[in-house]
């Protein structure tokens, strides 16, 4: 049976960092691929101050069995003190794509 696809979302302070981290996770076979999105404006409160920054969102694709290791490695590689790292299961995935995704990192 194919390991279920999981999506991991994070944002970075630069496109360069986002690409470097994604490349490392792909090379270490913790994710199969990454989708980099256009810069976004993030608004949040940090240490009591309202902040508004440009950040670079990335959607990382992995499988259920590698989710925790991928998230831990992402956190270790990330430059933020408290990075946004969120994951959710992609239970309703195209079977052929799910098989390809799993094959990239578990074979």
């Amino acid at each position: 049976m194919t390991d279920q696809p999981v999506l991991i979302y994070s944002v970075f302070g630069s496109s360069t960092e986002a690409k470097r981290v994604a490349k490392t996770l792909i090379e270490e076979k913790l994710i199969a691929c990454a989708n980099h999105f256009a810069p976004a404006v993030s608004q949040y409160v940090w240490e009591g101050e309202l902040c508004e920054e440009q950040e670079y969102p990335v959607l990382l694709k992995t499988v259920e069995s590698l989710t925790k290791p991928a998230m831990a490695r992402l956190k270790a590689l990330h430059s933020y003190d408290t990075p946004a790292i969120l994951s959710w299961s992609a239970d309703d995935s195209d079977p052929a794509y799910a098989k390809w995704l799993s094959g990239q990192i578990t074979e």
Side-chain angles (χ1 to χ4, degrees):
M1 177 158 173
T2 301
D3 211 351
Q4 278 298 111
V6 172
L7 305 172
I8 300 172
Y9 171 84
S10 193
V11 293
F12 296 87
S14 74
S15 176
T16 302
E17 180 187 9
K19 289 176 183 175
R20 178 184 53 77
V21 169
K23 181 177 186 257
T24 299
L25 294 173
I26 291 168
E27 289 173 346
E28 293 178 0
K29 293 195 172 279
L30 291 170
I31 66 168
C33 64
N35 298 121
H36 299 260
F37 297 97
V41 175
S42 296
Q43 296 174 300
Y44 54 93
V45 174
W46 183 253
E47 297 180 350
E49 297 290 324
L50 180 59
C51 302
E52 184 173 301
E53 304 287 338
Q54 180 171 289
E55 292 185 299
Y56 296 81
V58 181
L59 187 62
L60 309 162
K61 299 173 188 171
T62 190
V63 291
E64 189 173 19
S65 64
L66 293 176
T67 302
K68 288 193 186 303
M71 291 175 72
R73 185 69 169 128
L74 172 58
K75 185 173 183 177
L77 293 169
H78 210 292
S79 66
Y80 289 0
D81 292 336
T82 308
I85 301 174
L86 310 166
S87 72
W88 62 96
S89 179
D91 297 339
D92 195 12
S93 302
D94 176 73
Y97 182 79
K99 183 178 178 183
W100 172 85
L101 181 90
S102 181
Q104 298 306 301
I105 48 185
T106 60
E107 292 181 348

